[in-house]
Amino acid sequence: MQNILNKKGFICDMDGVIYHGSRILDGVADFVNWMIDNDKKFVFLTNSPERTPHELSMKLERMGLSVSPDHFYTSAMATAEFLHSQAPGCTAYVIGEAALSKALYDQGIYMNDVDPDYVVIGETRTYGFEKIEKAIALVNKGAKLIGANPDTIGVTEKGIMPATGSLIAPIEIATGKKAYFVGKPNPLMVRHGLRKLGCHSDDVAFIGDRMDTDIIAGIESNVDTILVLTGVTKKEDINLFPYRPKYILNSVSDIVRNK
């Protein structure tokens, strides 16, 4: 535990680590306040491309936790940075919420539904046949297919909902083209988080609740991993995977309770 306390920075997943839906988890406020009081650098990393950092900050504010927007990094932002690094000034046809389009605009990537360089997919509630049809036609014309994250489902206040991986599957099947997914477990997300913190990988711990996205992304980014059991992974599930987190905690509150 002392090794965790000595870390200079923390990268934290959100859903299942910080909150469930619209309910903040017990002990999270103590953990966040401990990081602030001890000058720890931290960033909240989320595979969801649906909200901007400002919107995520407001969400936590409504739960009683004050965290400024600069502490958030989303798969929408990672996707935009990736496309900018690959093809500066490129264009995209986007199926997703406004936060994804804004992240692309912020990187100088503009919307194009005629001959875009990329078709970019993220979670959205405005998914429909016409958009799928358009995306298929554009990919068949040569546009590259990009997913903000590979998640097939997400847990919301209403229950299980389809996520990007499910939304992009019909386009992959119809075109025979496989998408490139930017979000976790792609280590790009964690490396972006490290750059945002300005810390070396040895000085950072990554906290997540999923073995198949969070922990593998941390391992492949060479950072110490902390699995918390407040999300989708139960202790008995860990042995189902051929890799292990460095630490297993009941929740983030264990970090400050045992200091």
Side-chain angles (χ1 to χ4, degrees):
M1 186 63 68
Q2 191 60 45
N3 188 42
I4 297 176
L5 295 172
N6 290 336
K7 293 292 185 183
K8 293 180 180 178
F10 293 88
I11 299 173
C12 302
D13 182 40
M14 297 189 70
D15 202 4
V17 176
I18 302 301
Y19 54 66
H20 283 160
S22 57
R23 179 180 65 85
I24 199 161
L25 295 172
D26 292 341
V28 166
D30 292 337
F31 171 62
V32 172
N33 289 332
W34 171 80
M35 289 194 293
I36 293 170
D37 292 344
N38 288 274
D39 294 323
K40 303 292 185 181
K41 297 182 178 181
F42 64 95
V43 61
F44 292 118
L45 209 66
T46 175
N47 252 9
S48 172
E50 297 176 84
R51 292 187 175 95
T52 65
H54 186 73
E55 289 166 339
L56 290 168
S57 175
M58 290 192 298
K59 178 174 180 173
L60 290 192
E61 189 74 40
R62 289 192 293 270
M63 298 183 202
L65 193 61
S66 182
V67 179
S68 60
D70 59 298
H71 286 288
F72 298 90
Y73 192 80
T74 73
S75 65
M77 299 164 71
T79 299
E81 285 200 49
F82 170 73
L83 294 187
H84 176 71
S85 70
Q86 290 279 299
C90 62
T91 61
Y93 174 69
V94 178
I95 299 177
E97 297 296 324
L100 179 55
S101 296
K102 182 183 185 304
L104 293 168
Y105 275 123
D106 289 346
Q107 290 291 334
I109 299 164
Y110 298 103
M111 304 302 102
N112 178 349
D113 65 356
V114 178
D115 56 352
D117 301 296
Y118 296 96
V119 169
V120 181
I121 314 294
E123 279 91 345
T124 179
R125 286 160 182 79
T126 61
Y127 192 71
F129 187 81
E130 288 186 4
K131 290 184 177 181
I132 300 172
E133 190 177 39
K134 169 69 79 173
I136 290 168
L138 294 173
V139 171
N140 279 334
K141 285 173 62 177
K144 305 297 189 297
L145 186 58
I146 301 291
N149 65 68
D151 300 347
T152 55
I153 60 170
V155 181
T156 72
E157 291 87 343
K158 296 179 181 178
I160 298 295
M161 296 291 176
T164 298
S166 294
L167 303 184
I168 211 167
I171 303 166
E172 290 184 310
I173 294 167
T175 62
K177 303 289 179 62
K178 289 295 183 183
Y180 180 75
F181 295 102
V182 179
K184 298 172 295 182
N186 190 330
L188 272 177
M189 278 284 284
V190 180
R191 290 170 188 165
H192 282 310
L194 286 169
R195 192 168 71 244
K196 190 171 178 65
L197 292 178
C199 292
H200 188 274
S201 58
D202 289 343
D203 298 322
V204 172
F206 179 47
I207 307 172
D209 71 309
R210 294 185 62 132
M211 290 289 290
D212 58 345
T213 56
D214 300 324
I215 301 307
I216 188 64
I219 290 170
E220 291 184 356
S221 302
N222 199 34
V223 301
D224 285 349
T225 51
I226 302 172
L227 177 74
V228 292
L229 304 177
T230 46
V232 301
T233 305
K234 299 180 177 63
K235 199 160 191 176
E236 56 267 29
D237 296 334
I238 298 169
N239 287 332
L240 299 175
F241 295 86
Y243 49 85
R244 292 181 64 83
K246 183 157 188 178
Y247 304 96
I248 302 168
L249 303 178
N250 290 318
S251 72
V252 292
S253 63
D254 288 353
I255 295 173
V256 290
R257 284 176 185 160
N258 297 316
K259 65 179 186 290

